[in-house]
């Protein structure tokens, strides 16, 4: 089920920055403009607007007719999954993967400290978790760990879940905790994506299974093809997303993941 939300842009302030795993930090954002914020689905995402190198934050304006871009300034924005929103204190956590200054989001998050400001917009809509799944598989790399965490919390306790997680550093395993009915399998180091695919192929997935896949697009494509084409799972049983792609700046994850094999 898809639920639509009113469009809103919110200017927020950093209240805390905490390391949560190797090369990952959790930034807590606060502000009265968070009133009314909602992100009920595990894979919900917000557009995060960052200051330019000179420290100028340029954001669009939300009007009755939609979004209006400013005539001057450079808009720098990326999509992120909000990990947790706490309405009682008007604060939201967003986790960032750090990879130096190769991208504006990482560069900002590397230097983030309380008192800094940015803006978020969205989510525009939510795809609510499926009802009636017999079991679930969650596949993610570092960029999709917040979504993976939210899926583990969102699925009913009686639904067994296997999470296959590809990370560069094995210490990243501290990011998630296993719970009853939740099996976490971590794949780190060289060849981890091939080992993850082999593990996925070994799972016994029947007609009642649901799979969420997110991470580097080139890695997700063959996993989706296996589930949809080889295993024969229906379209509504496989939710696959390319959050980023090698060699592509600011990948549009709304574009078809696999144009050669559309739904």
């Amino acid at each position: 089920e898809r639920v639509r939300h009113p469009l809103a842009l919110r200017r927020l302030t950093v209240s805390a920055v905490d390391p949560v795993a190797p090369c990952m930090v959790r930034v807590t954002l606060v502000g009265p403009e968070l009133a009314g914020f909602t992100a009920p689905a595990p894979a919900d995402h917000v557009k995060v607007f960052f200051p330019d190198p000179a420290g100028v934050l340029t954001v669009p304006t939300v009007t009755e007719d939609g979004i209006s871009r400013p005539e001057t300034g450079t808009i720098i924005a990326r999509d992120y999954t909000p990990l947790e929103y706490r309405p009682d204190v008007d604060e939201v956590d967003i986790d960032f993967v750090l990879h130096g200054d190769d991208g504006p989001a990482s560069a900002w998050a590397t230097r983030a400290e309380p008192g800094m400001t940015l803006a978020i917009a969205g989510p525009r809509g939510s795809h609510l978790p499926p009802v009636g799944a017999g079991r679930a598989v969650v596949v993610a790399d570092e960029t999709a760990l917040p979504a993976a965490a939210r899926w583990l919390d969102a699925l009913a306790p009686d639904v067994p879940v296997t999470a296959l997680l590809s990370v560069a550093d094995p210490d990243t395993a501290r990011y998630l905790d296993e719970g009853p009915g939740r099996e976490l399998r971590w794949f780190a180091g060289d060849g981890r994506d091939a080992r993850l695919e082999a593990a996925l192929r070994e799972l016994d997935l029947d007609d009642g299974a649901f799979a969420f896949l997110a991470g580097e697009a080139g890695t997700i494509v063959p996993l989706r093809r296996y589930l949809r084409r080889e295993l024969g799972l229906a379209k509504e049983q496989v939710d696959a997303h390319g959050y980023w792609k090698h060699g592509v700046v600011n990948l549009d994850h709304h574009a078809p993941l696999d144009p050669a094999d559309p739904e």
Side-chain angles (χ1 to χ4, degrees), residues 184-202:
L184 308 184
R185 299 182 62 182
W186 297 88
F187 302 85
D190 294 339
R192 59 186 179 273
D193 292 331
R195 287 182 277 120
L196 185 153
E197 181 174 352
L200 178 65
R201 289 176 173 273
E202 292 172 358

Side-chain angles (χ1 to χ4, degrees), residues 209-235:
F210 172 80
F212 172 79
L213 320 171
E216 198 278 321
T219 302
I220 297 299
V221 164
L223 305 183
R224 173 188 169 276
R225 287 183 180 178
Y226 163 69
L227 294 172
R228 293 280 286 112
R229 305 308 171 201
E230 293 187 47
L231 208 57
L233 296 186
K235 176 182 177 180

Side-chain angles (χ1 to χ4, degrees), residues 17-27 94-99 109 141-146 167 172 174-175 186:
V17 180
D18 299 304
V20 291
C23 296
M24 293 186 70
V25 296
R26 178 163 300 152
V27 176
I94 298 179
D95 289 353
F96 294 83
V97 177
L98 305 181
H99 45 87
D141 65 10
E142 288 97 338
T143 65
L145 285 179
V167 296
T172 304
R174 71 174 188 247
Y175 185 88
W186 297 88

Side-chain angles (χ1 to χ4, degrees), residues 124-146:
R124 293 294 307 274
S126 301
H127 287 282
L128 300 182
V131 177
R135 71 163 301 176
V137 178
V138 174
V139 176
D141 65 10
E142 288 97 338
T143 65
L145 285 179

Side-chain angles (χ1 to χ4, degrees), residues 231-246:
L231 208 57
L233 296 186
K235 176 182 177 180
E236 59 271 17
Q237 292 178 268
V238 181
D239 188 15
H241 303 269
Y243 279 4
W244 63 287
K245 187 174 183 178
H246 287 294

Side-chain angles (χ1 to χ4, degrees), residues 31-53:
E33 292 186 13
L34 273 172
F37 178 83
T38 185
D44 280 347
H45 61 271
V46 294
K47 186 80 68 179
V48 181
F49 297 87
F50 300 95
D52 65 19

